Amino acid sequence: IRDVAVTGVQTCALPIYKLDKAVNPLIQKLDHQMLNDFIENPTAENIAKWFSDELAQSCVYSVTVWETDKCWAQAINESGLYHAVHKE
């Protein structure tokens, strides 16, 4: 995984430091670990959904996981319904 991007809901006023406070422990939890220990079938799509699920209380609208500069997966939470988008 090259990068993870988190997008908030426009109607939710969440200071960036609070989002960092929510996201950083999740990154630390997965960093240099066996992803299979935390996420079943850890594809980029499933990792994006895992982050989105973990951040559900933080006004997160979407999570994008970048594998390379041209390949990414995005989990979008629209009223509890998830849509997965993958671009290569």
Side-chain angles (χ1 to χ4, degrees):
I1 295 176
R2 187 184 67 79
D3 200 5
V4 176
V6 177
T7 304
V9 177
Q10 291 179 351
T11 60
C12 179
L14 182 68
I16 193 72
Y17 76 90
K18 285 190 177 181
L19 185 58
D20 281 346
K21 195 173 182 178
V23 172
N24 286 335
L26 299 177
I27 292 171
Q28 294 301 317
K29 185 176 185 176
L30 298 181
D31 193 29
H32 293 93
Q33 300 297 320
M34 291 291 294
L35 295 179
N36 288 321
D37 292 342
F38 300 96
I39 304 166
E40 186 177 339
N41 189 22
T43 62
E45 293 83 0
N46 289 342
I47 293 168
K49 178 148 182 351
W50 181 85
F51 269 97
S52 191
D53 288 345
E54 294 292 314
L55 297 168
Q57 302 301 316
S58 300
C59 298
V60 168
Y61 172 72
S62 71
V63 176
T64 305
V65 173
W66 291 87
E67 296 175 311
T68 67
D69 289 341
K70 296 180 181 178
C71 186
W72 52 268
Q74 183 178 47
I76 301 170
N77 181 356
E78 293 181 326
S79 302
L81 300 174
Y82 285 93
H83 304 280
V85 178
H86 181 81
K87 174 139 174 66
E88 190 166 339

